Amino acid sequence: MPPAKKRARSYDSAKIRAAVLAQFGNVRAAVGRLTPEQLALPSGLGEWRVRELAAHLCMAVESVNLSIEQEGRTRDRDRRGAPVTLATWPFATAAHAGAISGSVTAYAASAAPDELFARTAARIEALLPGADDDRVVAMRLGAMRLGDYLVTRTVELIVHTDDLNRAAGLAVPFDRQALAACTRVLADALAVKAPGSATEVRVPPYAVVQCVAGPRHTRGTPPNVVETDPLTWIRLATGRTDWRTEIDAARVGASGERADLGGLLPLMG
């Protein structure tokens, strides 16, 4: 008998909306204090400086505004592109990296960072409360439910807040709900990429998933277990670090013959 299909994880809309706004607020406050020297520092992401990284963080939320506005004008489904779900979104981003990079560079040059964040904050406060989670919005990657798209914003905000902290020597806090959602999206992506139940991946306190083909575990301690903390998991899943580095640093614990995830990571770049 084939294994039962795993049900997609659900997210509380009110908590996700609050998490996106909270993490955006955390970043906005920090970016507003950056000096010209800090803005000119390398971001660690290709040719971007911290200025472009800050602009990308702002665009993660500004894209919500643009999507809500565009939905009101775009009724033809063919113009929205192929459907994208939370399960497929992490794997769809790489193909658009070049176009995104070009857009970020232009956006960063259009105004000072604090002005970009102020504009986006005013727009999201006006547009988001009246927007239905079930409306389908057009994105660069395709068509997606607004509710799901907002979940993806937690990934963008958390991943790049971590980038900003490391690049500019900051300590921008991570909203707990945003960090939890980001961790879960990337854990679920691993289960999609490597379906199965042979290995249990634990990222306390936010996520536990089973993945990797092999003998199914039913009771007791699983024979193959991977455990790490949320930020290490996020860095692994997005290619900010690699499996062997984190194993050697004891930030990842792995036991069992099917507990080596090195060949499955990163999940998105």
Side-chain angles (χ1 to χ4, degrees):
M1 183 177 180
K5 185 176 181 180
K6 294 180 180 178
R7 185 173 62 181
R9 191 189 300 271
S10 63
Y11 292 85
D12 182 288
S13 175
K15 290 181 178 180
I16 290 298
R17 288 176 178 230
V20 169
L21 295 177
Q23 191 59 37
F24 181 71
N26 291 344
V27 175
R28 180 186 177 189
V31 168
R33 296 191 294 268
L34 290 175
T35 65
E37 291 75 19
Q38 286 175 305
L39 288 169
L41 290 170
S43 69
L45 302 174
E47 297 182 356
W48 284 0
R49 299 165 296 168
V50 166
R51 178 181 295 274
E52 283 75 36
L53 174 56
H56 187 54
L57 275 156
C58 191
M59 283 183 69
V61 174
E62 179 60 19
S63 66
V64 177
N65 296 330
L66 295 173
S67 296
I68 292 172
E69 291 175 333
Q70 187 175 30
E71 193 275 342
R73 299 189 297 268
T74 307
R75 296 297 179 183
D76 182 353
R77 285 190 176 274
D78 291 338
R79 292 175 61 193
R80 293 177 178 173
V84 181
T85 66
L86 271 178
T88 60
W89 175 80
F91 311 114
T93 59
H96 300 271
I100 292 171
S101 181
S103 297
V104 169
T105 299
Y107 186 62
S110 69
D114 55 347
E115 183 177 345
L116 295 177
F117 275 84
R119 288 178 191 168
T120 293
R123 280 160 52 74
I124 197 73
E125 289 171 7
L127 290 168
L128 189 58
D132 186 342
D133 279 345
D134 287 329
R135 73 198 299 175
V136 178
V137 296
M139 310 178 304
R140 190 189 303 271
L141 278 63
M144 196 173 202
R145 284 182 66 255
L146 176 62
D148 290 341
Y149 189 55
L150 287 167
V151 177
T152 72
R153 299 305 82 193
T154 68
V155 179
E156 293 286 352
L157 286 167
I158 291 296
V159 169
H160 293 302
T161 296
D162 185 42
D163 291 333
L164 181 64
N165 282 340
R166 287 181 286 125
L170 303 179
V172 181
F174 299 99
D175 175 78
R176 181 179 175 84
Q177 290 292 340
L179 182 60
C182 175
T183 302
R184 289 164 183 158
V185 168
L186 295 174
D188 290 344
L190 175 64
V192 170
K193 185 173 184 178
S197 302
T199 302
E200 185 166 283
V201 177
R202 303 169 179 171
V203 192
Y206 300 129
V208 177
V209 296
Q210 293 186 343
C211 58
V212 182
R216 182 177 178 83
H217 173 73
T218 57
R219 64 176 63 185
T221 303
N224 305 289
V225 175
V226 173
E227 185 165 338
T228 189
D229 64 276
L231 275 182
T232 299
W233 166 242
I234 290 165
R235 291 169 185 169
L236 282 166
T238 59
R240 269 58 178 177
T241 187
D242 63 85
W243 180 257
R244 181 44 54 190
T245 296
E246 300 309 317
I247 287 286
D248 290 346
R251 286 185 287 266
V252 173
S255 60
E257 61 181 16
R258 288 181 172 83
D260 187 341
L261 304 181
L264 297 171
L265 301 170
L267 302 171
M268 60 183 294

